[in-house]
Every structure is written in structure tokens, then in C-alpha cells.
Amino acid sequence: MNKQKLVKLFTVATAALPGLLLGASIASAQAISSDGFPASVPKAICGPTDHTESGLQGETTRQERFGGDSETAYNCNLELVGEEPQDTYQGAYSQDGPAYHDVCAYYGTDRAATFQGIKVIDASDPQHPVVTANLTDTPAALNPHETVATNAKTRLLVAGQNGGQNFAVYDISDCRHPVLKSSINLPGSNGHMGSFAADGKTYYLTQNPCCSGTGGPLYIVDLTDPSNPKPLPTWNFLGDGRPHGLNLNPRGFAPGLGEGTRAYMGQGRSYPFADARDGLVITDVSDYQFRRPNPQIRIISTLFYPDQGTGESMSPVKIKGRPYIISVDEAGAAGGAGGWAAACARGVSAFGYPQIIDVADELHPRIISKLRLQVNDPANCAALLAETPPDIPGTAPGTNLPAISGTTNYSGEACVADNPDDTKMLACGFQNAGLRVFDVSDPTHPKEIAYWKSGAVRARVLPASGSWAVGVDRTVDKIAHWPRWVVVGKGKGNGNGVGGGPGNSADIQLWTVSDGHGFQVLQFTKSFTAQHKDLFENTVTSEQSR
């Protein structure tokens, strides 16, 4: 071995030492936690040339952050194909969308003063995505927060104004150049998140405050005529039910269940849960779906859990023909009273994580597995707190945590299935832990198979970024919300030119958005897909944003 190689080896070993020391003080990844579930899922086995994490699964260590290593993306079985132009890039809110249709992606920003609005990305050339439009013609587009959503059947994009009453509808038949169809005011509305019914004719708009208080309103909009949207009667919850986020059931999700008749609501609350509990509320929204007079929303069942916080997305999937909900909490126990340190003292995870919930019996939903990374393991809570630095000179925005919990959030926020009707994999946005991919073909024994953590942009000035503030050194990037699966190549087509899997010469991509880099196209490495053809054989392109 030559001298240059020895120096390089010594440098790598020295940089990895803090992570190795921390690893020696933590519980085994295969240990069983006090709740009876594995403390964390098995780690992904990465390729020989991947730039991998050195610390806990999901963590970016202090050495990686301040030694400059985190400025290069961390990857495991995923590689970057292309990203939107960086020379004119002003930042993104990875929470604001992203939404997708055809060859396009859409995301917004909460910083209306930047006049970025909802950005439209053409990814028909995935190596060179380009910005084709910025929707700035409505108050909702200028400040949409998490309401940006698309529907493939009706070719619509909608947004509800965060902090105001505006609601806007766009025609995306030409996905590169959306056309405003209507802009109305919903009296009293203050939009937070939202979701289409599968047929695209109904949109449910959740409200601020999203995650505190008892009861409250849910706005519902009839989009049968996109040029003339009509507010349906606002539903006011008196107790449980008011959602932070929600998802509707697709056709064929469960026997005898009509499309769009169930809303799976993420009731997001935080410790000590004084006003309401945190978790899943299954509701019957048939009256709204069928436009019955005097519509009611009826609670079918609830499943609350005291060890997380700020429940959000509740995505319906089918695994081996059985219906499940993938729940995600965006803040975990670090979002509650006392913050991160109090979570450790309670013996729970500081950060939220996905769960697989069996809803075959919708009267009795039950958790069958938890997709915890090592950063979500309660046994690692205190050691991780001691190791995690603040972003100098203080709290960076966009963390979804109170200031007492610092500037790093390793919580999940949303998961998307590779095929909602035959799910084998989930791609999940884990905020500062990046994009994580899990094999859930055996839903009781999930395991991690890939990840992507885009490079830290440090003190780069990005005024439209959800994580930017003057002078803040952002040593980690943030990926949140909805990734998209895209199948490119030959094979079992679905009518729009995309194929089935690597056995049919297909490339499997993931589209995502980060605060620091904006829109990115990722691809599973050829060696990984070749070794795991069974996982990818039924992967399909995600048609829309939910």
C-alpha cells in the first residue's frame, strides 16, 4: 500500500471514530424495545462505492457535520441522476408538496415575499430537470404550505392558502404549464394540509392550528366542475377527529368499501396530550363522497399511541392483498412538553417514525410493525442528544420541533408505496435523516434497503428555503413529505410508456425535493436492482401526490 493510500485510510478512520465510539455505547439494532417491537429495523447493506453514514442509522455525526463530510450526499444503493439548476435556485420547502403529474413535479414555499410561488419542474430529461413556470397568480400559490396536491384522473393541481381563505385550482393537462381554472375564498379557512378523494372530485382541506386544541373544522370542496368549485358544508369535530393530515381510500382497498368513503386521519397532538391524543382516526365520509344532504362524518374507530407526537400522513396500501395504513408522526416525543430531554426521561423515541397498521378489521386497527431507525430507538435517545450539535448560531427554522429540542429532526413525515395495490417497498421522507427506503414485503419484519441524504448547503443564502435563516450554518439538509416512484424502460406498461421492473430493462427512479437542493431525480443502482429483481417486478410509477 502506498503512502497516499495510507494517509487516506488514516483520515477516513479518524473521521469515523466519533460515530464508532457512539455506536459502542448504544443498544443493538436487533434488540427488542419495551413496546415489544424491534428497537430498529436492520440497516441497509450498501454498495462498495457508496458514501455511507458513519454513526447511527439515520444520524449525521458531529464530525461529519463540522468536518465538511456532510456537504457531500450520503447514499446507499441510490445515486443522483439530476437536479434542478442550482445557479438560479433560491430554496424550497420540502413540505410544500411535492406533487407530481406526468413528467412534472410541483412544490411551493411558505415565503411569499420571495415570489417563487409553486414551482413547476419538467423532468422529461431526468439528467437535466428544468423549471418551466412559477405559479404566483393566487394567494394560495404564494403561500400553500402542505396543501399542494394533484389528481391524475382529473388532471388538477390545487392549493389552499396557509394563513388565509384562498383556494386555487389549476388545469395540468399540459403539466409543464398549469392553467388557472378558478380561485375562490373559503370563509374562515386557514389551510394547512389536504388530500383528494381518488376520483379527483372532492378535496379535503385541513386547518390551522393543525396540532393543538380539541375539535375544530375540516373544509371540503366539490371539484366536479373545476371552473366553479363549490364549498360543501364544513364539518366541525367536537372531540376526536380533526386531522393534521388525512388520506382517502382508493378503489378496491378493502372488500365492500366504496372508493373515497373512508378518510384515514392523522390526529396530531403532543405530550402530555392534554387536549387530545395522537394517532389514527378512521372516519366514514360517505355522505360527502355521495353528496348526500346534511352530510356527516362518522368516527369508526381510533388507534392512539402515547410514545410519538404530531401524527400526520395515514397512507393506505395493500400488502399481499391485505389492507394496511402507513402512519407517520413528524415530530415524535421531542415535539412535546420538555422537548428531547424529556422524551429520553420518559423512555420513548425523541423522533417520529412510520408504523404499519393492519386495518382489515377497521373496528379494531392494530400496529404490526414499526419502521424505526437507530436514531428512533429509545435506548439511543440520551446518547444521540449528547452527540447532536445545534446549527450555529442558533435554531434553524423548519425543524417542526420546539426550540428546546434543538435544530435537528430525524422524524419521518410521509411514506409512498412502490405499488399501492401490491406494496413491497416504501420510500419515506425522514427530514434530516433523508430519504429512506424499506422492504416491507414481509410487513411484520421490515428492513431498510437504501437511503439518500442530500449534501448540506451550510450558510448558502437560500431565502425561499424552509431551513434558511441569516447566518445559520445548516450542516444537514432536509427531505420531507412525498417522494415519487418512477419506472422508466420497457416492460409491463401502464399505458403511459413506463414499464414494470428491471427484469424488463427498466430503471427505477425516486423523485424527491430537499430544502437545500430542490427537485432531485435519484435512481437505484443497477447492481442493486439486478440482485433484487423480485422486489421491483411490480413497481409502478406513482400517478399523483398521495
Side-chain angles (χ1 to χ4, degrees):
M1 184 179 292
N2 62 35
K3 184 177 181 181
Q4 185 178 12
K5 289 183 178 178
L6 283 169
V7 171
K8 183 177 180 181
L9 178 61
F10 177 77
T11 301
V12 171
T14 303
L17 185 59
L20 292 173
L21 291 174
L22 177 60
S25 69
I26 65 170
S28 166
Q30 303 306 311
I32 301 300
S33 195
S34 60
D35 58 11
F37 291 96
S40 61
V41 300
K43 296 176 69 171
I45 300 172
C46 305
T49 61
D50 290 341
H51 181 220
T52 57
E53 305 164 328
S54 67
L56 294 176
Q57 180 188 30
E59 180 194 16
T60 305
T61 67
R62 182 183 294 267
Q63 176 63 35
E64 289 170 338
R65 291 174 180 231
F66 295 111
D69 194 57
S70 67
E71 295 172 37
T72 301
Y74 294 103
N75 71 302
C76 176
N77 300 322
L78 286 169
E79 56 193 5
L80 181 68
V81 177
E83 62 184 1
E84 67 175 280
Q86 296 295 293
D87 56 345
T88 57
Y89 178 66
Q90 295 187 53
Y93 263 67
S94 54
Q95 291 179 274
D96 288 12
Y100 311 98
H101 178 64
D102 196 15
V103 297
C104 296
Y106 312 89
Y107 69 82
T109 176
D110 286 358
R111 302 193 176 190
T114 64
F115 219 62
Q116 175 175 289
I118 296 174
K119 187 178 286 188
V120 182
I121 308 287
D122 174 4
S124 55
D125 177 356
Q127 291 183 311
H128 304 97
V130 295
V131 180
T132 59
N134 291 79
L135 306 181
T136 59
D137 51 355
T138 62
L142 286 172
N143 193 6
H145 196 50
E146 298 166 296
T147 66
V148 181
T150 56
N151 184 271
K153 291 182 180 178
T154 55
R155 299 178 182 178
L156 295 178
L157 179 149
V158 302
Q161 185 182 5
N162 180 39
Q165 304 179 26
N166 187 242
F167 182 81
V169 183
Y170 294 84
D171 182 341
I172 52 174
S173 297
D174 175 358
C175 75
R176 300 169 179 85
H177 300 99
V179 176
L180 180 64
K181 298 290 288 184
S182 56
S183 175
I184 65 172
N185 284 336
L186 303 173
S189 178
N190 184 348
H192 187 89
M193 291 188 72
S195 187
F196 275 103
D199 62 10
K201 296 179 180 180
T202 312
Y203 185 81
Y204 294 80
L205 180 64
T206 73
Q207 298 289 298
N208 290 313
C210 73
C211 309
S212 62
T214 301
L218 176 65
Y219 282 64
I220 304 100
V221 183
D222 182 347
L223 294 171
T224 304
D225 179 0
S227 298
N228 185 29
K230 297 179 179 179
L232 296 173
T234 298
W235 180 255
N236 279 284
F237 293 94
L238 299 179
D240 287 326
R242 179 169 60 85
H244 176 191
L246 76 162
N247 300 83
L248 283 293
N249 70 298
R251 185 183 303 275
F253 179 60
L257 203 60
E259 179 184 78
T261 60
R262 294 293 184 272
Y264 301 99
M265 300 188 175
Q267 181 168 290
R269 299 295 190 274
S270 299
Y271 177 80
F273 312 109
D275 47 5
R277 293 168 290 178
D278 182 67
L280 168 66
V281 180
I282 301 178
T283 63
D284 181 346
V285 293
S286 302
D287 287 359
Y288 284 94
Q289 176 68 9
F290 300 128
R291 304 296 189 264
R292 293 172 181 147
N294 189 29
Q296 311 286 307
I297 293 180
R298 301 170 181 85
I299 294 178
I300 294 172
S301 61
T302 61
L303 177 64
F304 298 121
Y305 22 89
D307 58 341
Q308 295 210 57
T310 323
E312 188 168 352
S313 61
M314 297 286 170
S315 303
V317 304
K318 292 177 73 173
I319 305 175
K320 297 179 180 178
R322 194 174 181 89
Y324 298 94
I325 296 298
I326 310 301
S327 71
V328 186
D329 279 48
E330 76 167 2
W340 188 340
C344 299
R346 290 171 54 211
V348 297
S349 173
F351 303 112
Y353 48 84
Q355 301 176 124
I356 301 180
I357 301 174
D358 187 329
V359 291
D361 178 358
E362 67 175 357
L363 294 176
H364 302 96
R366 59 189 183 93
I367 300 168
I368 65 164
S369 60
K370 300 186 176 187
L371 279 64
R372 287 188 286 228
L373 305 176
Q374 289 177 345
V375 291
N376 306 116
D377 179 356
N380 297 333
C381 186
L384 186 61
L385 174 60
E387 155 75 9
T388 303
D391 283 321
I392 299 170
T395 299
T399 62
N400 295 317
L401 294 175
I404 193 175
S405 290
T407 64
T408 301
N409 190 348
Y410 292 126
S411 299
E413 193 156 18
C415 294
V416 176
D418 66 314
N419 183 335
D421 295 321
D422 184 16
T423 300
K424 293 185 178 180
M425 294 176 286
L426 294 172
C428 304
F430 262 77
Q431 301 186 67
N432 295 137
L435 181 66
R436 320 297 294 204
V437 186
F438 301 92
D439 175 356
V440 294
S441 54
D442 178 353
T444 58
H445 297 91
K447 57 185 178 182
E448 184 187 52
I449 57 173
Y451 60 78
W452 172 264
K453 294 165 71 175
S454 43
V457 295
R458 305 299 292 265
R460 181 182 174 189
V461 176
L462 296 174
S465 169
S467 304
W468 180 79
V470 175
V472 169
D473 183 2
R474 288 149 300 151
T475 55
V476 289
D477 199 6
K478 177 185 177 184
I479 290 177
H481 269 328
W482 313 101
R484 186 193 197 190
W485 294 82
V486 176
V487 185
V488 182
K490 301 177 182 179
K492 297 177 285 186
N494 65 6
N496 62 358
V498 299
N504 297 306
S505 302
D507 293 327
I508 310 298
Q509 297 176 351
L510 286 171
W511 293 7
T512 190
V513 170
S514 78
D515 280 20
H517 292 267
F519 177 74
Q520 298 157 73
V521 176
L522 313 175
Q523 183 171 297
F524 286 92
T525 61
K526 293 290 188 182
S527 59
F528 184 77
T529 54
Q531 294 172 30
H532 301 279
K533 292 182 179 181
D534 56 325
L535 276 180
F536 295 94
E537 61 185 356
N538 291 323
T539 298
V540 299
T541 294
S542 310
E543 287 191 336
Q544 53 205 43
S545 56
R546 305 288 186 268

